[in-house]
């Protein structure tokens, strides 16, 4: 459903991704782990072209971008519509209520009718456990609640795949669980997800495939059991040992 082949990106002289391949089948959850600075977030941002790779081919459903060729804004927009993104720091509009944050995309980008968008947004806020917070502004919500609004906002655009960029790392520890629970529910319902996270228990429980990245390469990939119980590469072992 989503694939990248031989993805390369550099910022100035800094080579950050050095030939990354990734395949995500429909309904699967791929979790990306690895040390800070290994290129995890950059890879995720390349998947919805928030960063433009220097080389590589990205395919989502039947849409393909070859980054060695000229790419138009229209190409980028139509591919980006297939993805939803959940950011580390939520990125909600501060002057919009929870409901308005969720309806904004459908109304302005998808040109949906306001009433229809509101009905759907209400359902999605209910789904993430915030049915009673529709009229709250971000400053009136906890970090965990803000992030759940962020997830509802991503879902409102009917994405084929949701990209999660360290969705719980800005949260106080006691708020992490409620966000992970929403993500687990989505995975169980068959949402296709690519998740960058440091939450190893989430990876063990939910991932169909785990990728370990270091230095701009995917060093190792496999089932949670392959990676966490039988890592093959020295660098994977070192990384996992450091966490224990
Ligand atoms: P990770 O998510 O694994 O911590 P990142 O993808 O955030 O790693 O970053 C990988 C490297 O790329 C880091 O050295 C970071 O400083 C650099 N980097 C990321 N984005 C940019 C950018 N827009 N401009 C310059 N350097 C960047």
């Amino acid at each position: 459903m989503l694939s990248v082949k031989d993805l390369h990106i550099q910022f100035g002289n800094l080579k950050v991704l050095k030939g990354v391949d990734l395949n995500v089948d429909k309904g699967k959850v791929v979790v990306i782990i690895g040390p800070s600075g290994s290129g995890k977030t950059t890879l995720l941002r390349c998947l919805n072209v928030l960063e433009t790779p220097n080389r590589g081919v990205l395919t989502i459903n039947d849409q393909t971008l070859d980054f060695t060729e000229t790419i138009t804004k229209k190409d980028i927009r139509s591919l980006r519509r297939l993805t939803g993104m959940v950011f580390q720091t939520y990125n909600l509009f501060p002057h919009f209520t929870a409901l308005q944050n969720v309806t904004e995309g459908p109304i302005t980008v998808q040109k949906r009718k306001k009433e229809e968008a509101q009905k759907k947004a209400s359902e999605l806020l209910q789904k993430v456990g915030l049915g009673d917070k529709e009229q709250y502004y971000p400053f009136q919500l906890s970090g965990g609640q803000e992030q759940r609004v962020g997830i509802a906002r991503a879902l409102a655009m009917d994405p084929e795949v949701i990209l999660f960029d360290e969705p719980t790392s800005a949260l106080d520890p006691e708020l992490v669980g409620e966000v992970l629970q929403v993500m687990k529910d989505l995975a169980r319902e068959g949402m296709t997800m690519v998740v960058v996270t440091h939450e190893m228990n989430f990876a063990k429980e939910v991932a169909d495939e785990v990728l370990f990245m270091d230095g701009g390469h995917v060093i190792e990939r496999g089932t949670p059991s392959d990676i966490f119980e039988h890592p093959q590469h020295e660098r994977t072992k070192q990384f996992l040992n450091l966490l224990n």
Side-chain angles (χ1 to χ4, degrees):
M1 202 223 90
L2 178 153
S3 79
V4 282
K5 287 197 181 66
D6 199 30
L7 200 67
H8 292 253
I9 187 168
Q10 66 185 76
F11 299 109
N13 288 329
L14 183 70
K15 291 187 171 146
V16 173
L17 297 178
K18 304 170 187 167
V20 170
D21 294 319
L22 171 69
N23 280 298
V24 188
D25 290 336
K26 196 169 173 55
K28 300 292 181 191
V29 179
V30 172
V31 171
I32 304 171
I33 61 170
S36 181
S38 57
K40 306 180 298 295
T41 291
T42 303
L43 170 58
L44 207 64
R45 291 171 63 84
C46 287
L47 299 182
N48 73 348
V49 208
L50 284 174
E51 305 288 354
T52 311
N54 301 91
R55 210 165 99 200
V57 179
L58 168 64
T59 304
I60 304 180
N61 279 356
D62 55 354
Q63 295 191 42
T64 293
L65 294 183
D66 182 340
F67 293 105
T68 51
E69 293 171 359
T70 310
I71 290 165
T72 64
K73 289 219 168 79
K74 190 163 164 264
D75 293 335
I76 293 177
R77 265 200 307 272
S78 80
L79 192 122
R80 204 174 272 161
R81 276 191 194 157
L82 302 175
T83 69
M85 183 99 172
V86 175
F87 298 91
Q88 187 176 349
T89 50
Y90 337 126
N91 293 4
L92 299 181
F93 294 114
H95 55 294
F96 281 1
T97 62
L99 191 79
Q100 288 169 331
N101 266 285
V102 180
T103 57
E104 170 68 12
I107 292 172
T108 60
V109 180
Q110 294 180 330
K111 312 290 179 209
R112 295 269 169 83
K113 287 207 189 81
K114 195 172 167 190
E115 297 72 38
E116 183 195 327
Q118 284 176 339
K119 182 165 177 284
K120 184 166 180 192
S122 283
E123 287 165 12
L124 289 171
L125 286 171
Q126 194 89 41
K127 184 185 173 81
V128 300
L130 296 173
D132 57 343
K133 300 281 189 287
E134 282 185 6
Q135 301 307 325
Y136 282 50
Y137 287 87
F139 78 91
Q140 298 171 306
L141 299 171
S142 71
Q145 291 170 336
E146 283 190 80
Q147 189 57 297
R148 286 186 280 146
V149 176
I151 294 172
R153 178 182 54 180
L155 288 169
M157 301 294 280
D158 295 317
E160 294 289 320
V161 52
I162 301 194
L163 313 171
F164 292 86
D165 185 12
E166 301 194 24
T168 58
S169 41
L171 295 174
D172 291 335
E174 72 272 20
L175 302 177
V176 168
E178 63 191 60
V179 172
L180 292 180
Q181 189 55 51
V182 169
M183 293 169 65
K184 285 178 197 170
D185 293 344
L186 285 179
R188 210 169 300 126
E189 289 167 19
M191 188 74 215
T192 312
M193 298 164 47
V194 182
V195 185
V196 172
T197 187
H198 297 289
E199 295 291 333
M200 298 303 148
N201 286 330
F202 175 84
K204 285 176 196 169
E205 201 180 320
V206 181
D208 294 291
E209 186 177 44
V210 178
L211 266 66
F212 171 68
M213 284 186 70
D214 196 12
H217 294 280
V218 176
I219 303 293
E220 190 164 350
R221 65 182 89 208
T223 64
S225 151
D226 293 338
I227 299 295
F228 293 110
E229 288 162 37
H230 312 286
Q232 301 296 310
H233 287 256
E234 221 28 66
R235 276 194 271 178
T236 320
K237 289 179 194 167
Q238 274 170 9
F239 176 74
L240 295 173
N241 278 338
L242 285 175
L243 300 177
N244 290 328

